[in-house]
Amino acid sequence: MWVKKTIKTGIVLAGCVVVVTALDTARGSVDANERLKGIVEAATMSPAGIPFELAASETARIAARRMAEKLSISGELQPVSRVAIRAREAGKILDMNVRDGQAVKAGDVLVRFETDDLQSALLQRQSDRDAAEAELTLAMQALTRTEQLAAKNIASAEQLDKAKSDVVVKTARVQSLSAQADIARLALRNAEIRAPFSGTVTRRLAEAGARIGADGELLTLVDTSVLEAKVLVATRDIPRVALGQTAELEIDGISGQTVPSTVERISPVAEDGTRFVAVYLRLVNHDGRLWGGMFASGSILVREKKDALVVPAIALRKDETGYHVLKVLDGHLRRQTVALGSRWNDGSLIEVAAGLKDGETILTAPLPELQPDMAVTIDRAG
């Protein structure tokens, strides 16, 4: 039996015409065919014979560890809160209190318009409303007297209907003039424009003394305390991205530091003409180091497990009974059936759901000549 195995192995070796070089941690660079020859010679010995020496690089000690799957991304930073301040009413600018790059607080006065015409208009509307209210009071008094006379059959039904109609008409006039007075009051209040939030002026588009039409743009205000990075993710990868996932970004101009961020929004459709979906990451700019327009690159953490028991994919063997590995136990290679779990690192590592324990050593060299029950030792030199 052993003679036949030796003859068969010799035929295999005779067919190996390509010579490669392998790195052995104990003996440096050696001829791979010589290594294979040594393995075959060891395989022809009885299990009780001389143990075959394995290099440390041909084995792996299994240990539970944190596994993480990340998706590379890149994009540009932009402020989340940005607003174009516009004139609500047409008018002449009296004061422009801010300039480009100036920081302001919520409620600060940014622009003032001249208010003489607006105040006059408000006074006129209030006067008209007061006069209408006086007329309404007289009409209601007249209606009361007419109702009393009608109850005594002194006033006719036509007189009563006219008195009621006068009250309705004058009530409507008061309501109309009250609305006009409210509009004039709002226009006067809009003559003073305040900052809607704390931020920084990025563009000033008007000057004091200029006349601006209604809805004319005055300046742009941004809040840089919170920024977002718009990154593009391929449609094949977008199913792995979810709201709330964390990401780490490196910002151009800020070397040696990573900035944490969170997936805030995901577009429901791909960008026009592409197979990429926009994903928006939220960054908090605590110390003001970040500016809109900065380029960012990094990764989104799409999957993580803190205590995964993984083995190199090349260590797995498969036969008619399923997957197994060769475990180094008591100086011999022992067949160990395993149940597989998730794949990691693009499939180079496979999680073992059952069959192995933390601290065990397995064979990783993908050499079919190494079989169960072979006596082995591990050379840990170097």
Side-chain angles (χ1 to χ4, degrees), residues 99-146:
R99 296 189 175 277
D100 291 356
Q102 182 175 336
V104 298
K105 294 182 179 180
D108 285 353
V109 177
L110 304 178
V111 185
R112 285 191 178 93
F113 285 85
E114 289 185 348
T115 60
D116 293 346
D117 292 344
L118 296 174
Q119 288 176 338
S120 297
L122 176 59
L123 290 175
Q124 180 65 48
R125 300 292 183 273
Q126 288 176 333
S127 296
D128 291 344
R129 184 197 60 193
D130 292 344
E133 286 179 342
E135 292 178 359
L136 175 60
T137 300
L138 293 175
M140 293 180 68
Q141 291 173 351
L143 175 59
T144 300
R145 288 195 299 272
T146 303

Side-chain angles (χ1 to χ4, degrees), residues 12 19 31 59 73 87 89 119 126 128 135 139 160-161 172 175 192 200 230 238 256 269 296 324 347:
V12 173
V19 178
D31 188 276
T59 64
I73 53 172
E89 307 288 342
Q119 288 176 338
Q126 288 176 333
D128 291 344
E135 292 178 359
L160 181 59
D161 290 341
Q175 292 173 343
E192 187 175 79
T200 304
K230 177 184 177 181
I238 199 65
V269 296
H324 66 277

Side-chain angles (χ1 to χ4, degrees), residues 22 29 34 43 47 73 89 92 112 136 140 149 158 179 190 196 234 254 256 307-308 330 342 345 351 358:
S29 180
E34 290 297 323
I73 53 172
E89 307 288 342
K92 182 179 180 180
R112 285 191 178 93
L136 175 60
M140 293 180 68
L149 293 174
E158 290 79 5
N190 288 341
I254 305 178
D307 55 353
D330 298 330
S342 301
N345 292 10
E351 186 174 352
D358 195 350

